[in-house]
Amino acid sequence: MDQPDLAAVTHQHVAFDDGMALDCGMALGRLVVAYRTYGTLNASRSNAVLVCHALTGDQYVAETHPVTGKGGWWDMVVGPGLPVDTDRYFVICANVLGGCMGSTGPRSPRDGAAPGVLWGTDFPPVTIRDMVRAQKRLIDHLGIARLFAVIGGSMGGMQVLEWAASYPESVFAAVPVATAAYHSAQNIAFNEVGRQSLFADPDWRGGRYWESGSVPARGLAVARMVAHITYLSEQALTRKFGRRVRGGAAAGDLALFGDMFEVESYLRHQGSTFVRRFDANSYLTITRATDYFDLAAEHDGNLSAAFAGTRTRFCIISFSSDWLYPTAESRAVARALNRAAANVSFVEIASDKGHDAFLLDEPDFHRTLAGFLAGCAEHAGLPE
Amino acid sequence: MNAPPPNDSAEPVRTEGVKYVAKNMRLDLRLIAEMIAPGSRVLDIGSGDGSLIGYLYRTRGCDARGIEIDMAEVTRSVAHGLPVMHGDADSDLAQYPDGAFDYVVLSRTLQAVERPREVLRQMLRIGTSAIVSFPNFGHWQVRWQLLRSGRMPMTSVWNRPWHETPNIHPCTIRDFFHLCADEGYVVEKWLAVDDAGQRSPWRRFSGLANLFGEQALFQLRRA
């Protein structure tokens, strides 16, 4: 465990001392948005691409992560000569509101409290729309009137949809990937299992674990393990692990406990590494935000009304083996956009890698994304 | 039918400065492209590799979009920067609002949809003009083969055995005129072409076209 403590790392950020009003009716007295940029903003400020990260992602899209020391979570997609080409586009990614990589969240100093007192579980419930509002503040701060594109997968895709619905004039092209316009009962159910496992960890201490410096590691790890299963597919698990047992275990050993199957140790590893880079209360806050998400409900139950009159060009991408945000949900978004006569491309990429496919090496996906952006750049008159 | 026939001379298609026109764009697609006014809004149902919408955008400044059922074609089209969505004529047209397009194109697909009459209605609901091409089942070879052999015809156009063909609703040029009359559609233009898409000389006489035309191309509007 020779990586820096989560709290010890500082992140590039901008602070808005006038705060921000939230959907819940409360207001944050101070808003900090941590972000990273790649590439160069052109003179006309027309080549900015906002990448929105997923639930447990962060702003370190395409560089070594300061906490984990690992490569960027989308370094196959964002970079020089890659689909989101940083030689051509100015790429921005912000840590979401409620996150734990420098943006205002449960780990931030509480408004009006004594030094050292954090928000913790008293952090106001935030929505995807609140996250997007915070990003809009950043984009305004950077002097960008219109984003060339907003791109994101999973929860990042929800933010893309929210951007297109809330600020249509500021989004030339939108690419929601492996996402949905609302959280289904199944999505909420899995999130709830994760939250309950946190609550059940004695180290969670009613959400005040930060006071004693403890971490509800077991609860957070179990939450991650459950979630991780939903990111994969049965085929992917079978292909990677099958029923293989660990090297030390003999096939005849019928042990009740311990690492027996390879898939078990894989999940345990996923759980334990996650704990070191994520805050439990952030996990609660952000999973709740995804559960609240229902874009149609923000428009009297009519999803196409969210996009009425839009001139944004959309590219909806789903993956065939994604059962967390299945293709049917993407198709529903595409059809709602059709009802609004929007310019929409819709592709389902054949993959057996489940929801995680959007983070993995999927050449068809990357070709589609690159081609869509290039086509949009032509329409936007972006210099090559 | 009374509309003046389109330009007679087979003009070469202008390709200079065009980045993406499939080199072998089918001639019937070129004929369709000639029917479409520059700068208009076009939906191509069954857009295939996207060559028509690519051509319309890049040479005519059209806002041209596609629907395609074959996912590999959709992926290829979008990867070429063309706005194409996965879907099909039978279930996706109902999603679009009235009058969303100036032209809705259905080329060589009408005979393969489940409800051709409904598809035409939807096309003329969401578009001002419908451009429809279909293989003509009234062609003399089809008639002759059925008469002579008593078996389902196999020609260069109708080239799949009856149990494998996706063409579940074949029709003749005369049938199509009747359908348009029944539905009250105005035939603004029509022409018969051979399989390569070359215009046939019989287009002024529907009876001859129905006998000698391998493909038909119609432009319709609501009455």
Side-chain angles (χ1 to χ4, degrees):
Chain A
M1 199 159 154
D2 49 357
Q3 66 182 38
D5 181 57
L6 196 53
V9 179
T10 55
H11 308 275
Q12 179 188 0
H13 65 271
V14 55
F16 301 100
D17 287 327
D18 55 343
M20 191 179 80
L22 301 171
D23 273 340
C24 66
M26 295 169 69
L28 292 169
R30 184 168 189 267
L31 171 69
V32 175
V33 181
Y35 67 99
R36 294 294 295 160
T37 67
Y38 309 87
T40 311
L41 187 62
N42 64 14
S44 56
R45 297 171 184 262
S46 60
N47 67 335
V49 172
L50 178 69
V51 170
C52 302
H53 70 73
L55 171 62
T56 62
D58 51 45
Q59 66 271 40
Y60 297 100
V61 183
E63 64 189 299
T64 304
H65 197 283
V67 175
T68 66
K70 290 183 178 163
W73 58 268
W74 231 8
D75 57 8
M76 264 184 276
V77 170
V78 177
L82 295 177
V84 183
D85 188 349
T86 51
D87 287 337
R88 187 172 195 194
Y89 309 119
F90 176 63
V91 178
I92 307 158
C93 185
N95 185 215
V96 293
L97 180 68
C100 52
M101 283 294 161
S103 288
T104 300
R107 290 172 43 82
S108 304
R110 183 175 182 159
D111 284 350
V117 177
L118 309 183
W119 276 107
T121 46
D122 291 331
F123 189 71
V126 298
T127 63
I128 298 291
R129 188 157 58 177
D130 290 328
M131 294 176 179
V132 166
R133 282 193 190 110
Q135 290 162 0
K136 182 71 163 66
R137 295 292 299 273
L138 170 67
I139 299 307
D140 291 343
H141 165 77
L142 295 174
I144 296 161
R146 188 184 74 174
L147 291 161
F148 167 64
V150 184
I151 305 169
S154 196
M155 185 184 85
M158 297 176 187
Q159 294 161 59
V160 174
L161 294 172
E162 189 69 65
W163 259 99
S166 298
Y167 307 106
E169 299 303 317
S170 298
V171 183
F172 184 79
V175 190
V177 183
T179 193
Y182 70 104
H183 238 208
S184 69
Q186 179 175 267
N187 296 142
I188 297 169
F190 278 113
N191 273 351
E192 179 60 6
V193 173
R195 287 188 292 259
Q196 287 298 331
S197 76
L198 266 177
F199 300 153
D201 187 333
D203 283 333
W204 189 61
R205 298 170 199 252
R208 305 187 76 82
Y209 55 88
W210 49 273
E211 285 180 342
S212 59
S214 67
V215 173
R218 295 181 64 89
L220 191 56
V222 172
R224 177 64 171 174
M225 288 164 77
V226 172
H228 202 82
I229 298 168
T230 70
Y231 303 153
L232 303 174
S233 69
E234 188 184 2
Q235 284 160 292
L237 282 171
T238 302
R239 179 162 40 77
K240 276 169 104 163
F241 308 107
R243 292 186 45 78
R244 280 195 302 280
V245 294
R246 300 256 297 161
D253 286 349
L254 294 182
L256 192 50
F257 301 110
D259 265 359
M260 185 70 195
F261 292 97
E262 282 192 4
V263 66
E264 293 176 323
S265 69
Y266 170 76
L267 284 178
R268 287 177 194 194
H269 174 74
Q270 289 294 327
S272 63
T273 53
F274 180 63
V275 173
R276 293 178 218 158
R277 68 173 179 91
F278 219 84
D279 175 64
N281 285 333
S282 264
Y283 195 81
L284 296 175
T285 298
I286 300 174
T287 56
R288 257 290 180 241
T290 60
D291 290 351
Y292 290 136
F293 186 61
D294 183 353
L295 190 55
E298 295 172 21
H299 299 267
D300 299 323
N302 180 2
L303 185 57
S304 65
F307 305 112
T310 185
R311 296 173 60 191
T312 301
R313 301 172 74 90
F314 289 83
C315 183
I316 316 274
I317 301 174
S318 68
F319 296 93
S320 55
S321 56
D322 184 349
W323 54 277
L324 194 60
Y325 298 97
T327 290
E329 301 293 355
S330 284
R331 188 181 299 282
V333 175
R335 287 182 167 170
L337 286 162
N338 282 338
R339 289 197 294 280
N343 188 311
V344 52
S345 301
F346 165 48
V347 183
E348 181 197 61
I349 304 292
S351 164
D352 74 349
K353 293 173 188 158
H355 180 61
D356 251 0
F358 85 95
L359 296 169
L360 302 172
D361 184 20
E362 289 286 355
D364 277 349
F365 166 44
H366 297 166
R367 260 196 297 278
T368 302
L369 179 59
F372 173 75
L373 290 177
C376 288
E378 195 180 336
H379 281 270
L382 222 58
E384 287 190 23
Chain B
M1 247 209 292
N2 299 323
N7 215 345
D8 245 346
S9 61
E11 267 181 11
V13 178
R14 188 173 63 85
T15 52
E16 62 196 55
V18 175
K19 281 188 194 158
Y20 180 72
V21 174
K23 287 195 187 85
N24 51 355
M25 186 164 98
R26 291 184 344 227
L27 277 168
D28 65 319
L29 294 183
R30 297 191 177 199
L31 291 174
I32 290 171
E34 283 175 26
M35 292 173 147
I36 290 171
S40 47
R41 300 164 300 163
V42 184
L43 179 66
D44 184 10
I45 306 161
S47 52
D49 64 3
S51 50
L52 178 64
I53 57 172
Y55 177 80
L56 289 173
Y57 163 59
R58 297 209 159 99
T59 68
R60 310 238 160 167
C62 291
D63 174 0
R65 311 173 190 176
I67 296 182
E68 172 56 44
I69 198 166
D70 180 340
M71 195 60 84
E73 297 277 43
V74 178
T75 308
R76 194 183 324 168
S77 299
V78 178
H80 276 105
L82 301 169
V84 173
M85 84 165 252
H86 181 246
D88 68 81
D90 282 305
S91 50
D92 283 287
L93 300 186
Q95 307 294 330
Y96 292 87
D98 295 357
F101 299 96
D102 300 310
Y103 301 90
V104 180
V105 178
L106 184 71
S107 86
R108 298 197 192 185
T109 306
L110 185 70
Q111 76 285 354
V113 304
E114 275 181 39
R115 293 168 298 157
R117 196 176 177 126
E118 177 61 19
V119 166
L120 278 174
R121 275 182 202 150
Q122 291 289 352
M123 289 173 72
L124 281 167
R125 177 185 67 78
I126 66 179
T128 310
S129 283
I131 297 177
V132 182
S133 77
F134 57 88
N136 174 29
F137 205 75
H139 189 264
W140 68 268
Q141 282 183 323
V142 173
R143 302 189 199 192
W144 172 244
Q145 283 195 20
L146 183 58
L147 182 67
R148 191 196 56 183
S149 69
R151 300 191 59 189
M152 285 301 283
M154 292 277 282
T155 69
S156 57
V157 178
W158 303 94
N159 54 10
R160 309 267 291 268
W162 65 272
H163 45 86
E164 282 179 12
T165 180
N167 300 324
I168 52 179
H169 289 121
C171 73
T172 69
I173 290 175
R174 184 172 287 177
D175 286 328
F176 195 77
F177 272 114
H178 276 274
L179 180 66
C180 292
D182 286 351
E183 295 285 296
Y185 301 146
V186 176
V187 177
E188 293 205 300
K189 292 174 191 167
W190 72 275
L191 59 146
V193 293
D194 66 19
D195 190 32
Q198 299 281 19
R199 276 172 250 175
S200 305
W202 328 280
R203 66 176 184 284
R204 288 171 211 278
F205 309 101
S206 63
L208 285 177
N210 198 26
L211 200 52
F212 294 113
E214 287 178 308
Q215 305 269 344
L217 181 55
F218 280 72
Q219 181 173 347
L220 314 174
R221 64 173 168 82
R222 287 180 301 266

